[in-house]
Amino acid sequence: MPTSDDAAGPPAGASRRPAGAVPPRRPAWTLLTTHGHVLLAAARSPDARVGEIAEQVGISVRATLSVLKDLEEAGYLTRHRVGRRSHYTVDRRRHFRHPATAAHEVGELLDVLAGDPPGTG
């Protein structure tokens, strides 16, 4: 499974790579986990389709579905059906799971990273 870059990628609706274009090279490791990137993508675009989140993060649709399920089961996000689509609501008050950061809420991270990506606004 490819690793994700430290930026969550282009927002939903941004232009996609042309067919046959070589995807950007991914670093061997990143500071944020795939779960963090999926959470950021859902916070940026609550109505994004799973395929759009997968493309932004740089993982498969299947992996994205698995991560979304993990995040939902842990209470970090809630999925609501709106017609045939899903809408994601992130619980910004949920605390980080790691003991070193457990005193902080995920909303603090979202405030820093979930705004417009650099160069877009």
Side-chain angles (χ1 to χ4, degrees):
M1 173 178 5
T3 60
S4 57
D5 198 355
D6 282 343
S15 62
R16 300 181 191 278
R17 280 191 308 270
V22 177
R25 189 171 107 75
R26 302 271 183 201
W29 63 272
T30 64
L31 293 175
L32 296 179
T33 66
T34 301
H35 283 66
H37 286 289
V38 170
L39 187 68
L40 284 167
R44 278 187 177 140
S45 302
D47 295 314
R49 293 190 165 130
V50 173
E52 294 167 340
I53 294 172
E55 185 175 327
Q56 289 176 30
V57 176
I59 60 176
S60 69
V61 169
R62 176 177 268 179
T64 303
L65 286 167
S66 177
V67 171
L68 286 167
K69 180 181 175 191
D70 288 346
L71 292 169
E72 188 172 15
E73 287 176 355
Y76 285 95
L77 62 80
T78 305
R79 181 178 63 98
H80 307 280
R81 296 295 290 180
V82 179
R84 295 180 61 193
R85 299 201 52 176
S86 293
H87 175 85
Y88 302 100
T89 302
V90 174
D91 181 356
R92 299 174 56 84
R93 297 184 58 102
R94 179 68 79 181
H95 287 261
F96 285 95
R97 294 167 48 117
H98 193 281
T101 54
H104 296 277
E105 297 175 350
V106 297
E108 296 173 54
L109 178 70
L110 297 177
D111 288 342
V112 174
L113 299 178
D116 292 331
T120 62

